[in-house]
Amino acid sequence: MTSFILFGSFFLFLLLSVPIAISLGLALVITALYSPNLTLTFLSQSMVTSTDNFALMAVPFFILAGEIMGKGGISSRLFDLANVFVGRYTGGFAMAAILTSMFFAAISGSGPATVAAIGGMLIPAMVAEGYDKRFATSVIVAAGSLGIIIPPSIPLVLYGVSGSQSIGDLFIGGVIPGIFLGLIMMVYAYFHSKKKGYTGTGEKFSFKKVLQSINEAKWSILIPVIILGGIYGGIFTPTEAAVVAVVYATVISLLVYREMSFKEFPGVVRDAALSSVVILIIIGIANAFGTVLSMERIPQVVAEAFLSVTQNEVMLLILIVILLLIIGLFMDTSAAVIIFTPILLPMAIELGVNPIHFGIVMIVALAVGFITPPLGVNLFVGSSISGLSVPVLAKAVMPFFFVLLIGLIIIVLVPQLTLFLL
């Protein structure tokens, strides 16, 4: 009965369009008022304890670093570099936009931040080059989902904390899958552009121009090198890397590129703080929610239900992927990771699935939710930039949804894509 009240009230609030964090919190309060084994004091303590975690400090710092980089002139230089490599081919602008998103994903750790930073600059530019606005926006919206797959990734940090896994190993595991998904999106963009007649710049490859673009973007390129190289080299932890990223991005944006003024900096910090507060509230409430689920033995029940269907590792992963795709339609990624990792990870480990591989599969599946309504955050960001309605944009991004789905299936079937660098 406690589980029924918990889930029933939660879904009722969701149907009433109550924000997910508040829906979770109200469901917990109602359940605590009913259950003799659950008190409001216990829930409050659970929320505070769950956020009192050193590794979680990486989240607000990566968010702040992404905000600074998005407004500090870094994205434009990354695009110029990407355009030198692929801009001359058919659909070069679209492929350069995806490649730029991959570069920025290796800096920001956030899907919506990637869309906002890249889309504001490239969507109008692609339209000016003759691209259909729906296709131009869908390219940015879909590529933005790479923001949580290519390290550093905020959801991977949350998965590592929730599942007691190495965040450094998760970051390494996300490199090849993220690049792979970016490449297959570029392949689709090429063939679609060929069909629609979107040509490239036609410029011949110039080694001199490549070196010039690398020189212009050198300070931007160094960011992921410093972050990931420092983590993998054992120089600092992921949390310390996030702080280093903030300091480096601040120096580059204010003193080197000078595209962000000292007057603008407090506003950037404020925006990052607001985003961080929302995520940390979700983390606290979702952890309390997960504690109640454990008390009610929900993870064991779900595990028994899945294992009664199949004992095959691949089939189990496919069933979990289907579940996560459905969850991604309605639930924020951060909340989904925190709630479902303790439920699904033990079951996967029991059948011999590598926990790092499972983490990447989980994050990729939830990343697809960024471009699927009704809660597709990237859709809303892309809509606000382009002026297209969310339903129109959701329809336009469907081909990329299927491309990501194919990529996800391949990642499930080929664990070495994740584990090769470990």
Side-chain angles (χ1 to χ4, degrees):
M1 191 62 185
T2 301
S3 301
F4 177 78
I5 292 173
L6 180 66
F7 283 101
S9 56
F10 172 56
F11 286 114
L12 175 62
F13 288 124
L14 284 182
L15 290 174
L16 293 173
S17 300
V18 177
I20 187 165
I22 298 175
S23 296
L24 283 170
L26 290 175
L28 286 171
V29 170
I30 291 172
T31 305
L33 293 175
Y34 164 79
S35 173
N37 300 321
L38 198 61
T39 65
L40 294 177
T41 302
F42 172 78
L43 291 177
S44 302
Q45 291 172 339
S46 179
M47 289 175 59
V48 172
T49 303
S50 63
T51 53
D52 184 18
N53 188 307
F54 179 75
L56 281 180
M57 289 177 63
V59 174
F61 282 113
F62 275 131
I63 290 173
L64 177 56
E67 289 282 347
I68 295 169
M69 294 167 194
K71 295 178 174 65
I74 290 171
S75 53
S76 61
R77 287 167 175 81
L78 291 175
F79 173 74
D80 291 340
L81 177 61
N83 203 38
V84 166
F85 287 107
V86 297
R88 63 186 182 277
Y89 301 113
T90 298
F93 228 72
M95 291 194 290
I98 295 170
L99 189 55
T100 305
S101 296
M102 293 167 68
F103 284 148
F104 198 83
I107 294 172
S108 70
S110 165
T114 301
V115 176
I118 304 300
M121 175 184 66
L122 292 189
I123 292 173
M126 289 178 70
V127 172
E129 287 289 321
Y131 285 81
D132 177 74
K133 183 187 280 190
R134 290 171 296 180
F135 175 67
T137 309
S138 65
V139 166
I140 304 297
V141 166
S145 61
L146 298 174
I148 68 167
I149 301 168
I150 296 175
S153 160
I154 293 170
L156 281 178
V157 172
L158 299 180
Y159 173 84
V161 173
S162 301
S164 300
Q165 300 299 317
S166 166
I167 296 172
D169 286 350
L170 287 165
F171 280 5
I172 295 173
V175 172
I176 294 179
I179 294 173
F180 168 68
L181 291 171
L183 290 176
I184 63 174
M185 279 195 279
M186 290 172 67
V187 169
Y188 169 76
Y190 171 82
F191 284 107
H192 180 84
S193 298
K194 193 171 184 179
K195 180 180 177 182
K196 295 294 183 179
Y198 302 141
T199 58
T201 60
E203 296 179 1
K204 290 185 178 180
F205 179 80
S206 168
F207 193 67
K208 181 181 178 181
K209 197 165 184 179
V210 170
L211 290 177
Q212 185 180 356
S213 296
I214 290 174
N215 183 58
E216 285 288 324
K218 61 180 179 292
W219 299 112
S220 304
I221 299 170
L222 277 174
I223 297 173
V225 174
I226 292 171
I227 294 172
L228 301 179
I231 294 172
Y232 305 152
I235 301 171
F236 38 67
T237 67
T239 302
E240 292 164 344
V243 179
V244 170
V246 170
V247 174
Y248 183 89
T250 302
V251 172
I252 296 304
S253 299
L254 291 175
L255 303 178
V256 179
Y257 293 156
R258 298 183 181 179
E259 293 195 18
M260 183 175 66
S261 68
F262 283 93
K263 287 184 178 180
E264 293 175 311
F265 187 71
V268 173
V269 175
R270 181 199 61 216
D271 292 341
L274 290 173
S275 299
S276 300
V277 165
V278 171
I279 291 179
L280 290 172
I281 289 173
I282 290 173
I283 290 171
I285 296 175
N287 266 303
F289 194 87
T291 301
V292 176
L293 292 182
S294 298
M295 290 171 61
E296 292 296 308
R297 297 190 74 257
I298 300 298
Q300 290 87 340
V301 172
V302 172
E304 289 169 4
F306 271 90
L307 294 175
S308 67
V309 174
T310 180
Q311 294 281 327
N312 181 273
E313 175 185 327
V314 175
M315 286 303 301
L316 176 68
L317 281 177
I318 291 173
L319 287 175
I320 290 174
V321 163
I322 293 171
L323 173 64
L324 291 171
L325 290 173
I326 295 171
I327 290 167
L329 295 173
F330 305 103
M331 188 173 287
D332 176 84
T333 303
S334 299
V337 170
I338 295 163
I339 291 173
F340 289 97
T341 296
I343 296 175
L344 300 175
L345 179 58
M347 175 173 50
I349 292 175
E350 185 178 334
L351 285 188
V353 179
N354 184 286
I356 303 300
H357 177 226
F358 180 79
I360 301 302
V361 168
M362 185 175 190
I363 299 306
V364 173
L366 291 173
V368 176
F370 277 128
I371 64 172
T372 52
L375 199 66
V377 182
N378 285 9
L379 292 176
F380 290 100
V381 177
S383 174
S384 66
I385 295 171
S386 65
L388 296 171
S389 68
V390 171
V392 168
L393 188 51
K395 184 178 179 181
V397 84
M398 273 298 104
F400 283 104
F401 167 80
F402 289 110
V403 169
L404 286 172
L405 204 56
I406 291 169
L408 173 58
I409 293 170
I410 293 172
I411 290 169
V412 169
L413 297 177
V414 188
Q416 280 306 113
L417 284 174
T418 299
L419 305 176
F420 180 76
L421 295 178
L422 292 174

